[in-house]
Amino acid sequence: MANDRPAQAVILAGGQGTRLRPLTLARAKPVVPLLNRPFLAYQLALLREHSVTDVILACSYRVDDVRAALGDAGHLGVKLRYVVEQEPLGTGGGVRNAADLVSGTVFVFNGDILTDADLTAMRQFHEARGSRTTIFLQPVPDPRQYGLVETERSGRLLRFREKPAADEEIATDTINAGIYLIDAALLGRIPSERPSSIEREFFPALIADGIPCFGWCPSAYWRDIGNPGAYSAAQIDLLEGRARMLLQPPGERRDGSWVAAGGSVASDARLVSPSVIGARVVLHPRCQVGPAAVIGEGSTVGPDARVESAILWERVAVGAGAVLHECVIGADVKIGAHARVGSGVVLESGAVIPERTTLAR
Ligand code: GTP
């Protein structure tokens, strides 16, 4: 099978990311920062680890953001090409639009999944079963909000069930994890002229036509970063070691944190690990940053301010004595002195929060 080794991947990166608003109003979901690196850099690192270096990005929304963040991704050891839809074609049409650039067996990734799964083992499973489409399946505690996938004991796919309402319909706890291996010859089945869904149309039709399709259920870290809670949690998982760091955050290690160049940390500022401090960040006297704080490039944390379990994008200014806890702050936000931003709050890029304001969900 050596000639048939899938050295190619298509990443679906054209969604609007509505669940991650307002963050995705300012930046495309595939390149929102994760520990100060664009999200897709982690997927590219995983693909590269498994010798998949020819990667096609199927884009439609905010393509310029993606290009600005990743370019041709040569610095990540892969070759990235972009195919851009005139109109969004959905998850099916997005892959179809990239079909001319791929052959053999191709990985297809939703561009919002953080995982450290063993893709080589997935490929071996696919080949050993004679599968033509293999879907990474993930067990979840409450599968009702997802599309469920039922398999036979052998792993062969039986049926898909979209977001079942009633408990009795739930015959499995495994969901479609958004990563697939597909025989590229099958992609011609997807209509090219209209939007379509790979989950709701392409896969069920393969099963209906008796084409061998299997579910692969590894034990690996897996998270869909597509809503603010999951986006924050993924970063804390990486910092606290629950997810394998496929990429190190920028900066040098300092007492269990990462501190990038060009900034300054006051001698009486408290940096509590594990945290990530971006380039040119200024931490003023007596502030406390961390644990589990991620501070974007060019941000400042004022005197006596406290930032805990919070994600700050670039150039955020935190005023003196302000307290930020379990929140996500978009780029260029200004937090006034002594303001409090609490658990679950997500601030749009450019927001200005007056002094002494309290924001909570
Ligand atoms: P929500 O609006 O929050 O559901 O996010 P989303 O728009 O990203 O949709 P969803 O999470 O269902 O999409 C799964 C994956 O498919 C993501 O990586 C999207 O970027 C991608 N995707 C969704 N729609 C399209 C599309 O029309 N074209 C392309 N190329 N990719 C898409």
Side-chain angles (χ1 to χ4, degrees), residues 148 150 161-172:
L148 302 185
E150 293 175 26
R161 210 181 270 278
E162 278 304 314
K163 302 188 174 92
D167 282 355
E168 61 268 24
E169 279 186 89
I170 298 180
T172 173

Side-chain angles (χ1 to χ4, degrees), residues 1-158:
M1 293 300 275
N3 288 339
D4 198 35
R5 282 175 70 82
Q8 291 187 296
V10 175
I11 300 180
L12 284 161
Q16 294 204 7
T18 52
R19 290 167 297 146
L20 200 50
R21 284 181 186 162
L23 297 170
T24 41
L25 297 174
R27 200 165 308 169
K29 179 167 68 172
V31 292
V32 293
L34 207 78
L35 305 188
N36 288 346
R37 293 198 185 276
F39 174 71
L40 279 187
Y42 293 82
Q43 289 199 343
L44 297 176
L46 179 69
L47 287 164
R48 179 168 181 267
E49 184 175 278
H50 294 278
S51 309
V52 183
T53 53
D54 183 6
V55 183
I56 293 110
L57 270 193
C59 297
S60 98
Y61 177 68
R62 298 192 73 105
V63 187
D64 292 347
D65 289 354
V66 185
R67 278 191 212 277
L70 295 168
D72 67 3
H75 60 293
L76 294 165
V78 301
K79 184 180 77 175
L80 200 54
R81 289 183 284 171
Y82 295 74
V83 289
V84 181
E85 293 145 46
Q86 303 293 334
E87 297 293 327
L89 288 171
T91 50
V95 180
R96 176 71 175 87
N97 209 35
D100 290 347
L101 299 181
V102 295
S103 60
T105 309
V106 62
F107 278 103
V108 175
F109 273 48
N110 279 356
D112 53 5
I113 304 300
L114 181 67
T115 182
D116 57 8
D118 183 349
L119 301 182
T120 302
M122 182 174 183
R123 189 156 64 196
Q124 286 162 349
F125 172 96
H126 180 86
E127 289 169 1
R129 296 288 192 290
S131 178
R132 297 193 67 202
T133 289
T134 298
I135 300 183
F136 176 168
L137 301 180
Q138 175 67 21
V140 293
D142 180 5
R144 272 169 302 192
Q145 54 178 311
Y146 298 96
L148 302 185
V149 186
E150 293 175 26
T151 57
E152 291 174 3
R153 205 180 282 274
S154 66
R156 188 155 178 163
L157 297 188
L158 267 178

Side-chain angles (χ1 to χ4, degrees), residues 27-356:
R27 200 165 308 169
K29 179 167 68 172
V31 292
V32 293
L34 207 78
L35 305 188
N36 288 346
R37 293 198 185 276
F39 174 71
L40 279 187
Y42 293 82
Q43 289 199 343
L44 297 176
L46 179 69
L47 287 164
R48 179 168 181 267
E49 184 175 278
H50 294 278
S51 309
V52 183
T53 53
D54 183 6
V55 183
I56 293 110
L57 270 193
C59 297
S60 98
Y61 177 68
R62 298 192 73 105
V63 187
D64 292 347
D65 289 354
V66 185
R67 278 191 212 277
L70 295 168
D72 67 3
H75 60 293
L76 294 165
V78 301
K79 184 180 77 175
L80 200 54
R81 289 183 284 171
Y82 295 74
V83 289
V84 181
E85 293 145 46
Q86 303 293 334
E87 297 293 327
L89 288 171
T91 50
V95 180
R96 176 71 175 87
N97 209 35
D100 290 347
L101 299 181
V102 295
S103 60
T105 309
V106 62
F107 278 103
V108 175
F109 273 48
N110 279 356
D112 53 5
I113 304 300
L114 181 67
T115 182
D116 57 8
D118 183 349
L119 301 182
T120 302
M122 182 174 183
R123 189 156 64 196
Q124 286 162 349
F125 172 96
H126 180 86
E127 289 169 1
R129 296 288 192 290
S131 178
R132 297 193 67 202
T133 289
T134 298
I135 300 183
F136 176 168
L137 301 180
Q138 175 67 21
V140 293
D142 180 5
R144 272 169 302 192
Q145 54 178 311
Y146 298 96
L148 302 185
V149 186
E150 293 175 26
T151 57
E152 291 174 3
R153 205 180 282 274
S154 66
R156 188 155 178 163
L157 297 188
L158 267 178
R159 78 175 68 88
F160 283 76
R161 210 181 270 278
E162 278 304 314
K163 302 188 174 92
D167 282 355
E168 61 268 24
E169 279 186 89
I170 298 180
T172 173
D173 67 348
T174 52
I175 62 158
N176 171 0
I179 292 181
Y180 323 112
L181 261 177
I182 302 178
D183 176 350
L186 296 173
L187 297 179
R189 297 169 61 104
I190 302 174
S192 54
E193 71 290 351
R194 66 164 174 88
S196 67
S197 160
I198 200 166
E199 308 87 339
R200 282 185 222 105
E201 296 172 56
F202 177 69
F203 296 143
L206 296 181
I207 296 171
D209 291 349
I211 292 171
C213 299
F214 285 80
W216 178 69
C217 198
S219 63
Y221 178 86
W222 178 90
R223 201 186 269 282
D224 164 358
I225 61 127
N227 65 64
Y231 166 70
S232 300
Q235 301 188 63
I236 293 173
D237 288 343
L238 285 164
L239 285 174
E240 295 184 346
R242 281 184 291 279
R244 186 160 62 91
M245 273 206 196
L246 293 153
L247 282 174
Q248 292 289 310
E252 62 177 41
R253 287 309 293 271
R254 201 185 286 179
D255 300 329
S257 289
W258 288 259
V259 181
S264 63
V265 179
S267 58
D268 54 355
R270 262 189 88 209
L271 174 56
V272 186
S273 296
S275 291
V276 177
I277 309 298
R280 298 180 299 285
V281 165
V282 177
L283 303 186
H284 282 277
R286 301 174 306 282
C287 72
Q288 178 188 315
V289 171
V294 181
I295 313 292
E297 278 188 25
S299 295
T300 55
V301 180
D304 302 298
R306 227 170 64 222
V307 180
E308 284 178 359
S309 297
I311 315 294
L312 278 54
W313 287 16
E314 305 83 11
R315 300 173 303 280
V316 172
V318 179
V323 178
L324 278 60
H325 184 68
E326 293 180 351
C327 51
V328 184
I329 312 294
D332 301 298
V333 170
K334 291 189 174 30
I335 312 267
H338 305 286
R340 293 182 161 261
V341 185
S343 196
V345 172
V346 181
L347 293 181
E348 181 169 7
S349 291
V352 177
I353 307 303
E355 285 185 23
R356 298 185 192 280

